[in-house]
């Protein structure tokens, strides 16, 4: 789920560096995905719950391709 989150965030930001987005928390899995992606260095999160891709997150999203939705 963390990789899907990174891919969707990359698509939502057109791969731009550090545009912050708010993630709607659907359930505990979303929080877990955000925490894992932040731990792996794929995104940053701030105190208000917004997230932004890091360079590493953009690279992995590009390697994975477009999300399946």
């Amino acid at each position: 789920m963390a990789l899907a989150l990174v891919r969707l965030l990359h698509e939502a930001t057109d791969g731009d560096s550090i545009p912050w987005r708010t993630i709607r928390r659907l359930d505990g899995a979303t929080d877990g995905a955000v925490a894992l992606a932040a731990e792996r260095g794929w995104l940053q999160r701030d105190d208000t719950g917004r997230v932004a891709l890091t360079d590493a997150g953009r690279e992995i999203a590009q390697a994975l391709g477009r999300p399946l939705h």
Side-chain angles (χ1 to χ4, degrees):
M1 187 166 180
L3 288 173
L5 173 67
V6 167
R7 287 175 19 186
L8 287 169
L9 188 55
H10 184 266
E11 184 176 90
T13 61
D14 293 324
D16 288 340
S17 56
I18 312 296
W20 292 88
R21 295 287 191 258
T22 300
I23 301 287
R24 292 189 180 121
R25 295 191 188 336
L26 303 175
D27 56 32
T30 305
D31 286 331
V34 169
L36 178 61
E39 181 181 305
R40 298 272 170 103
W42 300 335
L43 60 78
Q44 301 176 61
R45 58 183 169 176
D46 68 9
D47 294 336
T48 66
R50 295 181 312 155
V51 296
L53 285 176
T54 62
D55 289 338
R58 278 188 295 284
E59 288 174 15
I60 199 164
Q62 288 172 348
L64 291 170
R66 295 183 57 84
L68 302 173
H69 61 80

